[in-house]
């Protein structure tokens, strides 16, 4: 029997692609690089595999009449037009859970980095300035007030880590979690007004677009720090740049940006900012687990077995 054909819509790692090649014919990004090959194969492509940053718009699905499933190696699937997929009964899967630890670790690491100025401290030593005297004092994290925007799987992993730092934890989400011991605020703005560090860990997409605007940043205030490990779209980036330049907030640590991999040049030059290139889940262990889960979902679909981790809309 011939192997089913699938389209990789992103540059995916060999530890995902190689095992897939054993059971599928994998077309790598031919929709972008080779229109003739894509036109020839489009009618036979039965699945898409992509990363959390991949775009799978309605227009791409429309060119794939045999498409049955989309497997995303990532928990965020805001690049997939799920409405268009549901209309054609195309099933969508993602990789929740296996990356909670890494993303939570990074959120805490970024919070410490921006408050304790760890990147600047490294530069201080490397540039030979230590003999001239000590660095200016930084900001304490332990015991401070943490606000989490989005208290889902990863948000809760951040909360338990923050508890070990003696931080008080409060949150906002679409719904109150009565079973959890943290204070709930009905909006990001109300939460921001009550905390020292505001960590964002919601999904991207239309529901959270520019949730963090100039008013929220003003509420966070000149002693407050913003940490974004969610999606760049959750923040009004222009308002954030202005708030950082004007001292409306104390600083920001950002793993995600509105137009990745492009980072506004204004952010490069600011001293109260720590920048990372979307590395929340980027460890060998976790990326391996994500790849295994993305591949297992594909195998399950083609074996006629239940999907392991369909997105909520497909459950
Ligand atoms: P999850 O378990 O689905 O949790 C999402 C949380 O966001 C939930 O608490 C949800 O509220 C809340 N939320 C959704 N819409 C909201 C809104 N409009 N306002 C306020 N809160 C809202 O997801 P997860 O597994 O924790 O992952 C969260 C996100 O992290 C992903 O979707 C992805 O965007 C991001 N992420 C980033 C990286 C990275 O590399 N930086 C890696 C992995 C994930 P309810 O609980 O009330 O539904």
């Amino acid at each position: 029997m011939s192997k089913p054909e699938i389209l990789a819509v992103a540059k995916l790692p060999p530890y995902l692609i190689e095992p897939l090649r054993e059971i599928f014919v994998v077309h790598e990004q031919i929709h972008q690089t080779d229109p003739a090959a894509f036109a020839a194969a489009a009618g036979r492509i039965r699945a898409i595999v992509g990363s959390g940053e991949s775009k799978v718009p309605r227009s791409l699905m429309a060119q794939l009449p045999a498409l049955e499933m989309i497997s995303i190696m990532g928990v965020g699937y805001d690049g997939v037009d799920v409405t268009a997929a549901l209309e054609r009964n195309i099933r969508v899967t993602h990789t929740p859970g296996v990356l909670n630890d890494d993303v939570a670790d990074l959120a805490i690491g970024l919070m410490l980095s921006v408050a304790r100025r760890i990147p600047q401290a490294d530069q201080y030593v490397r540039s030979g300035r230590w003999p001239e005297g000590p660095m200016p004092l930084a900001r304490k994290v332990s015991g401070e007030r943490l606000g989490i925007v989005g208290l889902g799987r990863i948000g809760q992993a951040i909360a338990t880590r923050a508890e070990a730092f003696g931080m008080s934890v409060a949150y906002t989400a679409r719904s109150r979690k009565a079973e959890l011991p943290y204070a709930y605020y009905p909006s990001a703005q109300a939460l921001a007004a009550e905390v020292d560090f505001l960590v964002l860990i919601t999904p991207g997409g239309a529901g959270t677009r520019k949730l963090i605007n100039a008013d929220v940043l003003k509420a966070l205030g000149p002693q407050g720090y913003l940490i974004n490990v969610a999606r760049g779209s959750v923040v009004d980036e222009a308002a954030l740049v202005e708030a950082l330049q004007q001292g409306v907030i104390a600083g920001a640590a950002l793993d995600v940006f509105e137009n990745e991999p492009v980072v506004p040049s204004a952010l490069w030059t600011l001293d109260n900012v720590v920048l990372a290139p979307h590395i929340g889940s980027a460890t060998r262990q976790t990326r391996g687990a994500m790849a295994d889960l993305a591949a297992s979902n594909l195998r399950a679909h083609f074996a006629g077995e239940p999907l392991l981790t369909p997105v909520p809309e497909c459950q």
Side-chain angles (χ1 to χ4, degrees), residues 75-76 99 103 150-154 173-175 177 201-204 207-208 211 229-231 255-256 278 280-281:
V75 66
L99 39 60
V103 185
L151 198 67
R153 288 170 293 249
I154 302 170
R174 286 175 301 194
S175 60
K177 320 293 154 221
I201 188 62
T202 61
T208 56
L211 185 67
V229 286
R231 286 285 184 264
D255 185 43
V256 286
H278 202 149
S281 65

Side-chain angles (χ1 to χ4, degrees), residues 46-50 56 61 67-72 80-81 85 90-94 298:
R46 295 173 61 192
I48 283 176
V49 58
V56 187
M61 293 181 221
L67 188 65
E68 298 165 24
M69 128 163 241
I70 300 165
S71 173
I72 295 296
V80 178
D81 187 336
I90 295 166
R91 305 161 90 194
V92 183
T93 62
H94 64 154
L298 279 164

Side-chain angles (χ1 to χ4, degrees), residues 112-122 135-138 271-272:
L112 290 167
S113 292
V114 70
R116 298 298 304 273
R117 298 177 59 77
I118 295 171
Q120 289 87 347
D122 179 88
M135 268 183 73
L137 300 180
D271 182 51
N272 53 349

Side-chain angles (χ1 to χ4, degrees), residues 151-177:
L151 198 67
R153 288 170 293 249
I154 302 170
Q156 290 178 42
I158 295 169
T160 54
R161 283 159 174 71
E163 285 184 284
F165 283 76
M167 300 183 89
S168 64
V169 177
Y171 71 100
T172 187
R174 286 175 301 194
S175 60
R176 184 192 293 263
K177 320 293 154 221

Side-chain angles (χ1 to χ4, degrees), residues 62-303:
Q63 295 173 73
L64 303 171
L67 188 65
E68 298 165 24
M69 128 163 241
I70 300 165
S71 173
I72 295 296
M73 179 183 151
V75 66
Y77 54 96
D78 43 295
V80 178
D81 187 336
V82 177
T83 307
L86 288 175
E87 282 169 17
R88 277 180 49 198
N89 205 22
I90 295 166
R91 305 161 90 194
V92 183
T93 62
H94 64 154
T95 61
V98 294
L99 39 60
N100 295 353
D101 283 342
D102 271 359
V103 185
D105 290 353
L106 188 78
I108 298 291
L110 286 175
M111 179 168 65
L112 290 167
S113 292
V114 70
R116 298 298 304 273
R117 298 177 59 77
I118 295 171
Q120 289 87 347
D122 179 88
Q123 278 306 312
Y124 201 77
V125 175
R126 285 175 199 261
S127 63
R129 279 149 65 207
W130 192 7
E132 294 163 18
M135 268 183 73
L137 300 180
R139 168 68 176 274
K140 184 169 179 174
V141 173
S142 282
E144 297 286 87
R145 300 168 301 171
L146 172 66
I148 302 177
V149 180
L151 198 67
R153 288 170 293 249
I154 302 170
Q156 290 178 42
I158 295 169
T160 54
R161 283 159 174 71
E163 285 184 284
F165 283 76
M167 300 183 89
S168 64
V169 177
Y171 71 100
T172 187
R174 286 175 301 194
S175 60
R176 184 192 293 263
K177 320 293 154 221
E179 71 285 9
L180 295 175
Y182 313 122
Y184 170 76
Y185 288 85
S187 70
Q189 189 172 338
L191 177 66
E194 297 300 326
V195 299
D196 305 299
F197 296 91
L198 189 69
V199 174
L200 312 180
I201 188 62
T202 61
T208 56
R209 194 170 305 284
K210 298 196 178 170
L211 185 67
I212 307 303
N213 56 23
D215 292 336
V216 177
L217 296 169
K218 194 164 168 229
L220 186 57
Q223 306 300 322
Y225 291 83
L226 182 78
I227 294 100
N228 188 6
V229 286
R231 286 285 184 264
S233 60
V234 180
V235 176
D236 181 338
E237 211 164 64
L240 174 61
V241 168
E242 201 178 321
L244 288 162
Q245 286 169 336
Q246 309 287 326
V248 173
I249 64 171
L254 309 169
D255 185 43
V256 286
F257 303 88
E258 218 166 273
N259 185 26
E260 294 174 13
V262 177
V263 175
S265 55
L267 288 174
W268 298 32
T269 56
L270 284 168
D271 182 51
N272 53 349
V273 174
V274 174
L275 305 172
H278 202 149
I279 54 169
S281 65
T283 67
R284 285 187 295 280
Q285 294 82 351
T286 292
R287 286 285 166 85
M290 292 162 67
D292 287 349
L293 189 48
S296 296
N297 275 308
L298 279 164
R299 280 192 214 98
H301 172 76
F302 285 97

